[in-house]
Amino acid sequence: KAGVTQTPRYLIKTRGQQVTLSCSPISGHRSVSWYQQTPGQGLQFLFEYFSETQRNKGNFPGRFSGRQFSNSRSEMNVSTLELGDSALYLCASSLALGPQETQYFGPGTRLLVL
Amino acid sequence: AQSVAQPEDQVNVAEGNPLTVKCTYSVSGNPYLFWYVQYPNRGLQFLLKYITGDNLVKGSYGFEAEFNKSQTSFHLKKPSALVSDSALYFCAVRSGDSNYQLIWGAGTKLIIKP
């Protein structure tokens, strides 16, 4: 099976712009989670989707939003970009919801905001 | 509140020696514990997880972890370290009676010296 794919892999934007990142989960996986990873803050949870519904949300401002489509693919959007949004954005998929479910990660999208 | 602690920012081990990366947790209810590894400029790769049963869990690349309920620990171990094991290691936990959000440790950088 193909793994989790994320596009684009690298992105350079300027402050004030918006960006959309895409994630395709492993075939058959219905849950998608998004994380922001920075050297100073580590791995920060953004949100989790299951069956097109947001199930969990981290402590990020409303500029960060996401959605999931009927084929389980997911997108996240960041509006009005700030310098501090520069990070590696990771997507992870799992088969279902539940405490025992393993998340499988994509390679990430590295966003640089200038 | 649920939390995960990885008390060491960095662990240095000589090649061929045993290695241990420490993780302690705090959750309400039964813990579900995970270890992931991240190589430079890559996403996270799943190593192993503890759900229930045998306290010693074996995973990928020769890694294993021991669940200790009384000490609320889940240390990652390998009998003989390889230079290629050098990477960033993350411990994560879910509670069985919460909204299933993964709580992540800050990560431990493992350096294996030849």
Side-chain angles (χ1 to χ4, degrees):
Chain A
K1 273 186 182 178
V4 178
T5 58
Q6 293 186 245
T7 57
R9 291 293 312 278
Y10 303 92
L11 208 48
I12 300 175
K13 292 286 188 178
T14 56
R15 279 183 302 173
Q17 287 187 311
Q18 76 166 16
V19 66
T20 300
L21 310 182
S22 181
C23 172
S24 293
I26 293 171
S27 178
H29 284 198
R30 297 172 63 193
S31 175
V32 173
S33 297
W34 288 90
Y35 295 89
Q36 181 195 66
Q37 186 178 25
T38 58
Q41 297 297 319
L43 206 61
Q44 302 287 316
F45 171 72
L46 280 156
F47 22 67
E48 179 178 30
Y49 288 88
F50 180 78
S51 293
E52 302 177 68
T53 301
Q54 187 178 90
R55 298 289 176 163
N56 284 308
K57 189 177 189 302
N59 295 323
F60 278 82
R63 301 186 296 108
F64 292 81
S65 63
R67 59 178 177 169
Q68 186 181 34
F69 302 96
S70 58
N71 61 359
S72 294
R73 191 177 68 86
S74 178
E75 289 180 348
M76 67 163 281
N77 184 277
V78 188
S79 62
T80 320
L81 284 166
E82 300 176 359
L83 295 179
D85 297 333
S86 295
L88 180 66
Y89 289 87
L90 293 164
C91 167
S93 75
S94 57
L95 195 60
L97 287 180
Q100 76 285 358
E101 291 295 326
T102 300
Q103 291 189 350
Y104 295 92
F105 284 78
T109 293
R110 188 164 295 279
L111 172 64
L112 177 62
V113 182
L114 301 175
Chain B
Q2 300 178 101
S3 64
V4 175
Q6 293 182 241
E8 300 153 320
D9 291 337
Q10 183 170 309
V11 171
N12 297 295
V13 178
E15 185 177 26
N17 283 0
L19 69 87
T20 299
V21 183
K22 296 179 180 177
C23 172
T24 58
Y25 65 91
S26 174
V27 296
S28 57
N30 294 323
Y32 295 77
L33 296 147
F34 301 78
W35 275 104
Y36 285 81
V37 60
Q38 186 179 32
Y39 297 100
N41 300 313
R42 302 279 294 277
L44 277 67
Q45 294 180 31
F46 169 69
L47 282 176
L48 51 80
K49 67 180 176 183
Y50 172 82
I51 298 175
T52 186
D54 194 352
N55 290 343
L56 186 64
V57 180
K58 293 189 182 297
S60 306
Y61 312 121
F63 284 94
E64 59 189 26
E66 186 169 11
F67 171 65
N68 188 315
K69 188 173 183 178
S70 62
Q71 297 185 4
T72 61
S73 67
F74 189 56
H75 300 332
L76 182 69
K77 299 181 180 184
K78 187 173 183 181
S80 178
L82 300 173
V83 172
S84 57
D85 292 330
S86 297
L88 188 58
Y89 290 80
F90 290 94
C91 179
V93 67
R94 278 199 194 99
S95 168
D97 61 352
S98 69
N99 61 8
Y100 306 148
Q101 181 178 328
L102 263 177
I103 307 300
W104 293 85
T108 298
K109 186 175 184 180
L110 177 64
I111 298 177
I112 309 300
K113 298 183 178 180

